[in-house]
Amino acid sequence: MSENFSARRQSIKMLTFWLRQAGYGVVGLALLGTLWTNLYTLAQVVRARTSVPWADQWVVVQDLMRRAHGEPLWPILWSPYWGHRLVIPRLLFLGDARWLSFGSLTWLTMLVQGFHIALLIVLAWLLLGRKSRALFMLATVVVLNLMLSPFQMENFVWGMQTMFPLVFAAATGAFLCLSNRFLLLAIVLGIISSFTMPNGILVWPILVVQSIYLRRNWKVGMTLAGIGTFVIASYLWHYTRPLEMGMGVGGMLRHPFDAIRLVGLILGSLFRVTAPVDAGIGLIAMVATGWALVRALSRVCERTWFSSLFALQIFLFLSSLSLVAGRLTPSCLNVASGDPLPGRYFTLICLCWVSIVLLVLSTFPEPAWVVSVLFVCLMFASMKRQLVEAGDWADFFRAADAVGSALLMDVPDEQLLSVLWPPKTQRGELTLFLRQRGLAMFHESRANWLGRRISDIFPIRGQCDGAIEKTVDLDGSSWRVTGWAWDTNASKPPDDILFTDSTGQVIGLARSGLRHGYIPGFFVELQQPPVLHSRFSHSEWLGYVKKRAGTEGGLYGVFRSEGTVCTIK
C-alpha cells in the first residue's frame, strides 16, 4: 500500500516537473515570438513616419497660426477641444513647430511608450522577481506583447497621439514614485497626467487613497489632496463637453446596465470577436479581477509595491468609466463588425490586461501559470490580425505622405486631399501658412527638388526596374500617377520617385513602398498586380506630375540613405 502511494506521489512530481518544463518552453517561445512581433511593429512605425498633417493635426496647425499671428499663449493652451484640455500636448506641438519644424512626433510617442514599458517591467520585478524568475519572465512577455501590440498602431504612427501613451505613463510613474517616497516627482507626474487628457485628473484621489493605504504621514495625504483639489478645480473651470458624445454621468446613472456593458466592451475588445461577446468577456474579467483584488488586499503583507498595482488598476477602471461618460454610447454594443472601438483606445485596453496579469501572477502564482500561458497563446492566436493591422496603418500614413506631394506642388487632387482634411478652403489657408513658415512637409528635402535638374541633386547610379501603370488627369495641368519600381541589386524599392522633363528638370514627386492598388483609407482596387512585379513586396508608388510641353522626360528612383538615384526603365 505504501509502495503504491509512494509510486503515485513520485508520478505526480514527475508530471508536475514536466508540466513546468513545458510551461518554461511556452514562455521561451512566447518571448521569441513577442520580440519578433515587436521588431515588425517598430519597423512599420518607422515606415509610416510622415510630417504631412492628418485629421486633428490640422487643428494644431490652426493653433500654430493663431500663435504666430500674436494671440496670447495661455488661451490657446487652455481652450477645450472635444472635451480635452490639451495643455501638455499643445506645448509639445508648439515646441515641435519651434525647434523641429512641425515634424513627426512618433519618436516621442515611442519614447514615452518605452518609458512606460520600463516602469511596468520594474513593477513586475518588484512584485515577482524575488519570488520567481520564471513568473517575472512571463510577466515581461505579457508587458512587451501588449504594450507594443499593433492594435495600438493608430497611437504609434499618428503624430497627434502622443497624449494617449503619455497620460498612462505619467500616472503609472506617479504611483510608483509615491510607493518609493518620491513625493515631489509623484506630484510632477500627476500634473503632467492631469493636463494631458481628462482622465488624468483621476490620479489625485487615487494618490490620496494610496498614501492612506501605505500609512504615510498625514501631511503627505493633505498635500496630495490640496494640490489635487486645485488641479481638478482649475481643469473643470469653464470646462465644456460635447453633449453628442458619450453617455454622460447622468446617462450612466439612468442606464447603469448599458454603462456596465460598455465598460465590459472596453476590456473585452482586445479579443475582437463581436461586440456582445467582447462585452461578455470583459464583464467576466472585470468581476474576476475585482474578486482577485479584494483577495489580494487581504493577503498581501508587503504593501509598498502592491499599492502601485492597486492604484493603477483603480485608475484604469475609472478611466474606462470616463471613456463611457465622454465618448461611448450604447450603439457601440450593436456594431456588426469585430472592431466596435477605435484603435486609439487600445493603449488603455492593453494596459488593463497587463495590470490584470500582474495581479494574478503576484497573488495566485501556482494557478496563474496555467491562466497566463493560455492568455499568451490566445494573444498569439491573433498575431496574424495584429500584423495586418500594423501593415494597414503603415500603408495609410505612407500614402498620406505621398498625397503630401499634392500639397507641395499645389495639385488639386480633392479626392485624396479630402482624406487629410475635408474643408477645402480651410485646408488651403493652413497649407499656405505651413508653406510660408517652412513647416511640416515644406521643411523636407523633397520640397526643394521641384524645378531643379536631377543631376544637380543626386548622382545617378545604375538602373532600376519599374514603370508608370496609371495616370489620372486632375485639372488639365497635372496628373495623379501610380506605378512600381524595384532595385533588383539591393532587393528593395526606392524611397521616392522623381519625374523630369526632357531637360532633366524635376516636374513631379512620388512616394514609394506601397502595395498594388491597396491603400487603406484612400482607395482599394481589387486587382492582382501584374506578373512582372507581383513578387516585389511594397514596390508601388503614388505621386503627381505637372504637365509640360515638349518631349517625354525621365523617371528616377531616390535612395535617401545613400543620396543617389537610379534610372527607372
Side-chain angles (χ1 to χ4, degrees):
M1 184 74 175
S2 59
E3 292 179 359
N4 291 337
F5 178 76
S6 298
R8 188 179 303 172
R9 187 174 181 181
Q10 187 65 25
S11 299
I12 293 174
K13 285 184 177 181
M14 288 297 295
L15 178 62
T16 303
F17 172 78
W18 286 112
L19 285 175
R20 281 186 175 275
Q21 298 307 307
Y24 295 150
V26 170
V27 173
L29 291 174
L31 179 59
L32 292 176
T34 292
L35 292 175
W36 183 87
T37 306
N38 293 161
L39 289 174
Y40 179 82
T41 302
L42 293 175
Q44 297 308 304
V45 171
V46 172
R47 190 168 74 86
R49 278 177 57 88
T50 177
S51 57
V52 177
W54 174 59
D56 291 346
Q57 280 179 294
W58 290 96
V59 178
V60 176
V61 178
Q62 282 184 304
D63 290 340
L64 298 179
M65 190 163 65
R66 290 167 58 195
R67 181 60 181 155
H69 291 164
E71 290 192 29
L73 176 61
W74 187 248
I76 295 175
L77 296 178
W78 200 247
S79 59
Y81 179 71
W82 288 102
H84 298 286
R85 284 202 195 279
L86 303 176
V87 178
I88 301 296
R90 279 182 168 127
L91 284 172
L92 293 176
F93 300 143
L94 289 168
D96 180 32
R98 174 65 177 82
W99 291 293
L100 299 174
S101 300
F102 202 52
S104 172
L105 281 179
T106 53
W107 65 271
L108 180 60
T109 301
M110 299 312 298
L111 185 66
V112 171
Q113 191 74 347
F115 171 71
H116 198 184
I117 288 171
L119 290 178
L120 292 170
I121 291 176
V122 167
L123 179 59
W125 173 258
L126 294 170
L127 292 171
L128 302 167
R130 302 167 191 172
K131 300 177 183 177
S132 169
R133 300 292 175 87
L135 289 177
F136 168 69
M137 285 303 300
L138 182 57
T140 301
V141 168
V142 173
V143 170
L144 292 174
N145 187 292
L146 290 174
M147 296 306 292
L148 287 176
S149 168
F151 286 150
Q152 299 183 61
M153 278 295 286
E154 179 180 348
N155 293 338
F156 292 163
V157 299
W158 186 13
M160 180 78 182
Q161 301 298 82
T162 306
M163 65 188 92
F164 280 87
L166 180 58
V167 66
F168 295 109
T172 301
F175 301 141
L176 278 169
C177 286
L178 185 60
S179 294
N180 206 32
R181 296 180 182 276
F182 295 143
L183 178 61
L184 181 59
L185 190 53
I187 292 171
V188 171
L189 290 171
I191 292 173
I192 292 174
S193 184
S194 298
F195 291 111
T196 297
M197 289 185 68
N199 60 314
I201 62 176
L202 300 170
V203 163
W204 298 102
I206 297 171
L207 284 173
V208 173
V209 172
Q210 185 185 4
S211 70
I212 294 172
Y213 177 77
L214 289 170
R215 298 169 183 169
R216 295 282 191 261
N217 188 294
W218 65 271
K219 294 180 181 179
V220 173
M222 292 298 294
T223 300
L224 292 170
I227 295 174
T229 300
F230 174 78
V231 170
I232 294 172
S234 63
Y235 191 99
L236 297 179
W237 184 258
H238 292 164
Y239 172 81
T240 57
R241 181 185 70 84
L243 297 179
E244 66 274 18
M245 300 181 69
M247 293 186 67
V249 176
M252 293 173 68
L253 293 175
R254 290 192 300 272
H255 306 283
F257 182 66
D258 287 338
I260 292 172
R261 289 175 64 205
L262 284 170
V263 174
L265 178 64
I266 293 171
L267 192 57
S269 288
L270 185 68
F271 301 96
R272 293 191 166 186
V273 185
T274 64
V277 173
D278 290 346
I281 294 173
L283 288 173
I284 293 171
M286 191 165 55
V287 172
T289 302
W291 173 81
L293 194 59
V294 171
R295 288 287 303 274
L297 289 172
S298 62
R299 294 173 56 178
V300 172
C301 298
E302 177 54 53
R303 291 171 172 250
T304 304
W305 303 117
F306 180 78
S307 71
S308 298
L309 179 59
F310 166 70
L312 178 60
Q313 289 204 311
I314 299 302
F315 177 71
L316 294 173
F317 176 70
L318 294 179
S319 294
S320 299
L321 289 177
S322 72
L323 183 58
V324 173
R327 286 293 183 270
L328 304 185
T329 62
S331 61
C332 298
L333 297 166
N334 302 316
V335 174
S337 71
D339 303 315
L341 299 182
R344 66 185 70 97
Y345 301 139
F346 274 82
T347 297
L348 165 63
I349 294 167
C350 290
L351 184 56
C352 282
W353 283 100
V354 168
S355 70
I356 290 172
V357 171
L358 290 179
L359 174 65
V360 172
L361 288 177
S362 60
T363 310
F364 311 101
E366 292 301 327
W369 263 104
V370 179
V371 175
S372 298
V373 168
L374 288 174
F375 181 77
V376 169
C377 292
L378 187 60
M379 285 297 94
F380 279 97
S382 67
M383 180 182 289
K384 181 178 179 180
R385 185 169 185 176
Q386 294 189 60
L387 297 181
V388 168
E389 185 142 345
D392 283 355
W393 275 106
D395 279 354
F396 173 78
F397 279 99
R398 188 76 177 175
D401 207 40
V403 175
S405 298
L407 298 174
L408 290 171
M409 299 171 59
D410 199 21
V411 172
D413 188 1
E414 193 58 30
Q415 178 187 352
L416 300 189
L417 287 172
S418 63
V419 177
L420 300 182
W421 188 242
K424 181 179 178 180
T425 303
Q426 187 183 62
R427 185 180 64 239
E429 294 173 355
L430 297 175
T431 300
L432 178 61
F433 169 77
L434 294 175
R435 186 188 299 273
Q436 292 171 341
R437 300 280 172 163
L439 299 176
M441 57 276 181
F442 293 101
H443 185 72
E444 297 178 28
S445 56
R446 61 173 168 162
N448 301 314
W449 294 342
L450 288 167
R452 298 174 61 188
R453 294 177 60 85
I454 188 72
S455 58
D456 295 335
I457 308 173
F458 299 106
I460 301 174
R461 60 121 179 116
Q463 181 175 312
C464 295
D465 296 329
I468 294 175
E469 293 180 319
K470 184 178 180 180
T471 60
V472 178
D473 193 341
L474 296 173
D475 64 344
S477 65
S478 54
W479 290 291
R480 183 204 304 157
V481 190
T482 56
W484 70 281
W486 191 264
D487 184 350
T488 53
N489 293 325
S491 296
K492 65 179 182 180
D495 300 303
D496 301 273
I497 306 296
L498 297 182
F499 306 86
T500 63
D501 61 13
S502 58
T503 66
Q505 190 177 60
V506 177
I507 58 172
L509 304 171
R511 277 286 201 238
S512 184
L514 299 169
R515 285 178 276 184
H516 182 82
Y518 181 78
I519 306 178
F522 285 94
F523 58 80
V524 176
E525 299 173 353
L526 299 178
Q527 58 181 4
Q528 294 297 320
V531 177
L532 185 63
H533 64 94
S534 59
R535 67 185 185 279
F536 299 139
S537 174
H538 292 95
S539 62
E540 302 288 325
W541 48 258
L542 167 67
Y544 300 90
V545 181
K546 285 285 189 180
K547 292 183 180 180
R548 290 281 182 89
T551 57
E552 186 176 351
L555 193 61
Y556 298 87
V558 179
F559 296 90
R560 274 179 267 163
S561 60
E562 302 167 15
T564 61
V565 296
C566 65
T567 305
I568 298 175
K569 292 184 178 179

